[in-house]
Amino acid sequence: MRRNRLGNSAVEITELSFGAAAIGNLFSAVEPAQAAAAVDAAWDEGVRHFDTAPHYGLGLSERRLGEALRARPREAYALSTKVGRVLDPLPGGGAAAAEGLSEGFAVRATHRRRWDFSAAGVRRSIEDSLERLGLDRIDIAYLHDPDDHAEAAFGEAYPELEKLRAEGLIGAIGAGMNQTAMLTRFVIDTDVDVVLCAGRYTLLDQSALSDLLPAAAARGRSVVVGGVFNSGLLADPRPGATYDYAAAPLNLLDRALRLKAVTEGHGVPLRAAALHYPLGHPAVAGVLVGTRSPDEVRDAAALLRQEIPDALWDDLRAEGLLTENGH
């Protein structure tokens, strides 16, 4: 699988990245054996970038991912995790906490998530993640959803990540968000290597073309794109499908159905076009897909291998469904 270097760093990622939120029991429980098998399937398909975060399952995703990669050559893959939320143990280990969803994850609430973009919080977060992962370094550390914490993120968290990078504990610095404005500020005002942009550069939402992608290309920064299916609508456009985790508005459902008609007219599943689309921009280093089973991993890899004819992108532009990009 093709690899791309992130910004000015020495870190390389594959064009397809394994998003490990799902194996942290996102929305529903995943059995340990299935989580391990999903990581194994990704490895067998050539995936060499794995993304996680303390937030995902109160550390469960990091622990499972670290265990699944334990026997793999450390220099052969890149691992990213995130800072900005620290996990504080609950008294008694949270034994009295009820089973259920903890901020979207089906895990027992043994810890409490606490926003912390202070320098000390960032360092603690990295040290805790290294322990859960069983590693001595992290390839990419993202500032995780700093939307409401701009002052601390730019003034404390980012400088601390620079120190950790200089110490060799992390290889590349980034920020991950569902918006483009602050990510663009990171690209322009700091020395980040990469940003993770979720849902804002897809067949349905090309808003990253207005600010983030031009800035990244001009400064030699890399972009990893998540949410390429916009939480479901581009995977299976139908009444009741979700867009950004809510019921899809009718105008977007109609647009998705029009996209599907064009792509299938070329013999290409809409999901394949959605996965390939961001990779046409020169600033995009890879796409991140959340998967919870070996079958889902193999499906994503097969979609990436599918050939997409140039005429498909031409027809999407002709229908007014696609803004100009690198295709």
Side-chain angles (χ1 to χ4, degrees):
M1 190 176 292
R2 181 176 167 183
R3 298 188 186 215
N4 293 307
R5 189 178 301 276
L6 298 180
N8 295 320
S9 76
V11 177
E12 291 186 345
I13 65 168
T14 45
E15 284 193 326
L16 180 62
S17 302
F18 181 97
I23 66 168
N25 289 2
L26 179 63
F27 301 134
S28 61
V30 174
E31 291 298 317
Q34 179 177 311
V39 177
D40 288 344
W43 191 274
D44 292 343
E45 293 290 349
V47 174
R48 295 295 183 270
H49 176 215
F50 301 86
D51 177 78
T52 184
H55 171 54
Y56 302 157
L58 292 172
L60 178 63
S61 174
E62 288 185 321
R63 292 192 297 273
R64 284 180 164 175
L65 191 57
E67 181 61 30
L69 293 171
R70 187 95 0 110
R72 309 293 186 182
R74 182 62 186 91
E75 67 281 359
Y77 66 88
L79 185 140
S80 54
T81 192
K82 305 178 181 76
V83 301
R85 292 175 175 92
V86 294
L87 305 180
D88 294 328
L90 291 175
E99 295 283 358
L101 292 184
S102 174
E103 295 192 29
F105 293 87
V107 294
R108 183 175 286 277
T110 56
H111 291 70
R112 178 177 65 92
R113 299 171 177 87
R114 176 170 54 83
W115 290 104
D116 191 343
F117 286 94
S118 69
V122 165
R123 186 167 290 268
R124 175 192 155 184
S125 182
I126 291 294
E127 291 171 350
D128 288 351
S129 289
L130 288 171
E131 183 176 351
R132 285 189 292 266
L133 289 160
L135 299 175
D136 61 1
R137 62 182 172 84
I138 288 164
D139 299 289
I140 309 151
Y142 290 108
L143 294 159
H144 197 185
D145 297 335
D147 306 64
D148 299 325
H149 308 272
E151 183 176 355
F154 284 95
E156 293 193 54
Y158 170 77
E160 189 66 18
L161 287 179
E162 280 201 337
K163 292 178 183 178
L164 290 163
R165 182 171 58 182
E167 294 169 19
L169 287 177
I170 62 177
I173 298 173
M177 306 177 72
N178 296 305
Q179 57 146 295
T180 63
M182 192 181 292
L183 289 181
T184 304
R185 181 182 168 192
F186 274 108
V187 167
I188 294 173
D189 292 346
T190 74
D191 191 30
V192 292
D193 303 290
V194 58
V195 293
L196 171 55
C197 179
R200 304 286 76 86
Y201 189 48
T202 72
L203 287 177
L204 281 173
D205 184 341
Q206 294 140 41
S207 55
L209 283 170
S210 66
D211 50 5
L212 176 61
L213 290 170
R219 290 162 177 77
R221 312 302 189 205
S222 296
V223 179
V224 174
V225 175
V228 295
F229 304 126
N230 285 119
S231 81
L233 184 53
L234 285 175
D236 183 15
R238 54 178 171 74
T242 54
Y243 175 82
D244 286 359
Y245 305 105
L250 290 179
N251 65 313
L252 286 180
L253 174 59
D254 177 68
R255 186 179 178 89
L257 290 170
R258 291 172 60 202
L259 286 162
K260 182 179 180 180
V262 173
T263 65
E264 291 188 347
H266 289 272
V268 174
L270 176 59
R271 292 180 303 120
L275 191 65
H276 278 263
Y277 170 69
L279 295 169
H281 194 283
V284 175
V287 291
L288 188 151
V289 177
T291 46
R292 65 173 55 233
S293 70
D295 286 346
E296 289 185 359
V297 171
R298 287 189 282 265
D299 177 68
L303 294 175
L304 187 63
R305 286 193 295 267
Q306 182 151 355
E307 292 291 330
I308 310 293
D310 290 340
L312 182 151
W313 308 119
D314 293 338
D315 286 352
L316 289 177
R317 280 192 287 270
E319 292 288 326
L321 295 168
L322 188 65
T323 305
E324 285 291 334
N325 74 347
H327 288 291

